[in-house]
Amino acid sequence: MYHSVGTSVFAVLEAVLTFEPQHILEAASALKVCLSVCNRHRKKVTITETIGKTFKRPNYESYTALEAHAELCAAEALLMRAMITFIEDETLTSLIKGGMKIRACFGSYKECSMLLNQVKWPSAETRLHFESGVRVGLGGFNLMVSLLPGRVIRLLEFIGFSGNKELGMRELLAGYHLKGLRQVLCVMGLLGYHLIVCYVLSHREGDLAFCDEILEQQLEIYPNGVWFLFFKGRLEFMRGNLEEATQWYKKSWRSQNVWPQFHHVCFWELLWINCLRQQWREGLLYASNLLDHSRWSRTIYTYQKAAILMQIPEEDLTPDERRSIEFLMRDAPLHKQRIAGKSIPLEKFVVKKCERFFAQGKYLLLAAVELMYIWNMFKILGRHFHLADGIMKLIDKVTADDRMPRTKFDADNRALANLLKGACLKQMKSPLQALKHFEAVVAMHKDIKEDTYLIPYAIVEIGLIYADQGKRESAIMALEDAKKNFTGYSLESRLHFRIHLALTDLRSNQSQKDS
C-alpha cells in the first residue's frame, strides 16, 4: 500500500512539473492502482452503515491499524487525484470535479483525526507514522484555506471547508517534531510557508531563524537534497545575501539531472537575483533558458525576456537584440492560456503591456522593475541600502524629463514611476517621502487611462506604512478602501491576498491587546 502511494507521488510530481500528456496519463494510472490497493485494505462498510453515518458517529474503535492506514493512504491518493484533474482537463467541469475530490479528501483527513485516538494501535511506531500523516494533511489544509481572501473562504465554508492558520501551523509543527514517516512533508510545508508564501503573497516576514534551524538539520541528513538546497538558497535570498543565495541555487540545480524541471525553479530565482543587482545580461541568460526549455507560461517567460532586454541601455544593444524585443512583444500574447475558461491574471497583465508597447511607439517604462515589484522582490532591497539606492537611481535616470517620450499614457507612466519610487523609499526607511509618492499616484486617478491597478496598490502601500507607524485605524481604513472601492483592475486577486493577510494581522494584534 505504501509502495503504491510512493510510486504515485513520483508520477504526480513528474506530471505537475512537465505538463506532458503522457506523464499525466501515467500519473492517473498510478493513482488508479493506488486507490484500488488502498480500497482492498479499507474497512468494509455496508449500505446500512453508510446511511447510519449521517445520523451517528461510526465506531472508530472497531478499525484495525491496517484499515486506519488504508484510510490515510486513500486520502493522500484522493488529494493527488484532484491535482491531476485540474491539469489534465482545463474545463469548468474538471474544476468542479477537482474541487469535490478535494472536499472528499478533506473529509477523509478529518475521519483520520478521529481514528488517531480511538484505534487500538499494535505499536507506538505504527501510531507515530499515522499521526504524522494526519498532522500534515490537516495542517496543510488549514494553512492553505486560511490564506485565501475572505469572500473565497465564505464560499468554501458553505461547501464544508474551513481554515484556521494557527491550527494549521500547530499541526505542521507537531508533525515536524514527531519524526514520523511524513515528517519531511511537514518540513516542506513549513519552509514553503515561511520562505515563499510570506514573501510572495503578504507584507509580512517569514521566521528565518526557524527556517535556518530546520535546514541545518535536514541538510545534515540530505546533503544533496534538491529541495533543501533550494530552500537554503531561498533563505539566503530572503536575508539579502545574494552571493550566498546564488551559490546554493547553483548547487541545487547541479545536484540532479533526472528532472531538469527542478533546474527551472532555480533559474527563476537566479533571474531575479541578477535583476536586483542590475546585472541585466546575466539575468537575460536565465530568462532565455526558461523561455526555451520550461513548459509553464510561455507568455510570461517571453515578456520577461523582452522586459530585461529593455533595461539594457539602448547603445549596448545589438541590432539583433533590438529586433528581438519587438518580436518577443508580438509573440508573447499568442501563447496566452485559459484554465476553466478563464485567463491567468498575470498573462492578461502581460498581454496588456505588450499592446501598450506598440501603442507607445515601441516603448515601455521600467518593465523589468515593474515585474520585480509585482513579484514582491522589493522586500529584498530593504536588506541592503545600496541595492535599493541603485534601483532608485535607475528610476530617476529613466524617468528624467528628457528621457521619457510623450504619449497619451503620460499619467500612467508618471504614476508607475511614483509607485516604484515610493516602494524603494519605503525599503530605504524613508516612510514620509514614500507616502508622498504613493499619494501622488492616488491623486492621478482621474488621468490614468489603463494602469488602474496602480491606484489600489498605492493605497495598500499607504495602509501598510500606517500599520508600521502604529496608526492601526488609519491602516485598516486604507486597506478596506482598496478592498471595497476598487474592482476589475489587473492583478486584483494578488492584491486581495495581501489585503486579507494585513487586515487579519491588524485585527488579531488588536484583539490580543484587548484581551
Side-chain angles (χ1 to χ4, degrees), residues 172 176 182-192 214 218 228:
L172 288 175
Y176 161 61
R182 296 169 180 84
Q183 183 214 28
V184 70
L185 297 178
C186 294
V187 168
M188 298 285 277
L190 290 166
L191 291 173
I214 293 176
Q218 298 303 315
F228 294 123

Side-chain angles (χ1 to χ4, degrees), residues 2 68-69 71-73 75-76 105-117 119 121 126-142 167-168 170-172 174-176 178 180-183 185-186:
Y2 270 92
H69 276 275
E71 289 295 327
L72 181 59
C73 290
E76 291 169 337
C105 172
F106 184 53
S108 296
Y109 273 114
K110 289 206 285 191
E111 290 243 316
C112 289
S113 70
M114 303 298 291
L115 285 166
L116 178 62
N117 296 314
V119 169
W121 299 101
T126 308
R127 186 187 193 282
L128 172 71
H129 295 318
F130 183 83
E131 185 177 354
S132 72
V134 173
R135 300 287 188 194
V136 74
L138 291 178
F141 265 111
N142 274 281
L167 175 61
R170 282 201 305 272
E171 293 285 355
L172 288 175
Y176 161 61
L178 275 175
L181 184 65
R182 296 169 180 84
Q183 183 214 28
L185 297 178
C186 294

